[in-house]
Amino acid sequence: ATVTCSMGYTAAGTSFSSTCGSNGTWSAVICTPVDCGSTTLASNGMITYGSTTTVSSTATVTCNSGYTVNSGTSITGTITCQTTGTWSTLLCAPVDCKALTVPNGVADTSAGTTYTKSATVTCNSGYTVNGVTLTS
């Protein structure tokens, strides 16, 4: 008989069939949970695994300084081992400082407004930057 394991499980070893033996019992086929193992999907973050890495197990992702989960406000999130044997995705995205408003001047943020990007400030005529470095 051909054995089909439930979603998220796989037959241990190489056998996907069971044979009726001379004693009237079927040979054993054991379906075990799919194991996602470790992942490197969390760039700009660190993953802490629970006690297992099998289907439905979770792991905690902690984003590095300057990064948040999926561009939100949290620095931690959870990923889950899926029935496909892969982890769900979570993105540690750079913090976005948004638009820079400069009274009596203009900020050029064409390089971007996220963590580590710089803005160039040009003061209006008659104004100077007063000893402040503006970086976004």
Side-chain angles (χ1 to χ4, degrees):
T2 300
V3 175
T4 303
C5 295
S6 298
M7 183 75 88
Y9 290 79
T10 187
T14 58
S15 177
F16 285 96
S17 64
S18 183
T19 306
C20 180
S22 61
N23 61 357
T25 61
W26 291 98
S27 60
V29 175
I30 300 170
C31 292
T32 58
V34 170
D35 192 334
C36 288
S38 61
T39 180
T40 57
L41 291 179
S43 60
N44 300 312
M46 181 182 76
I47 303 172
T48 305
Y49 298 97
S51 57
T52 66
T53 56
T54 55
V55 170
S56 299
S57 297
T58 59
T60 302
V61 176
T62 304
C63 296
N64 296 340
S65 178
Y67 294 84
T68 59
V69 174
N70 297 329
S71 298
T73 57
S74 178
I75 62 165
T76 61
T78 303
I79 56 175
T80 304
C81 178
Q82 302 174 106
T83 58
T84 57
T86 59
W87 289 96
S88 58
T89 58
L90 182 146
L91 175 66
C92 286
V95 171
D96 191 346
C97 293
K98 312 259 187 282
L100 174 60
T101 303
V102 180
N104 301 307
V106 175
D108 176 3
T109 58
S110 59
T113 59
T114 57
Y115 177 59
T116 73
K117 302 298 181 188
S118 295
T120 302
V121 174
T122 304
C123 295
N124 292 344
S125 179
Y127 292 88
T128 59
V129 174
N130 188 9
V132 178
T133 302
L134 299 176
T135 304
S136 64

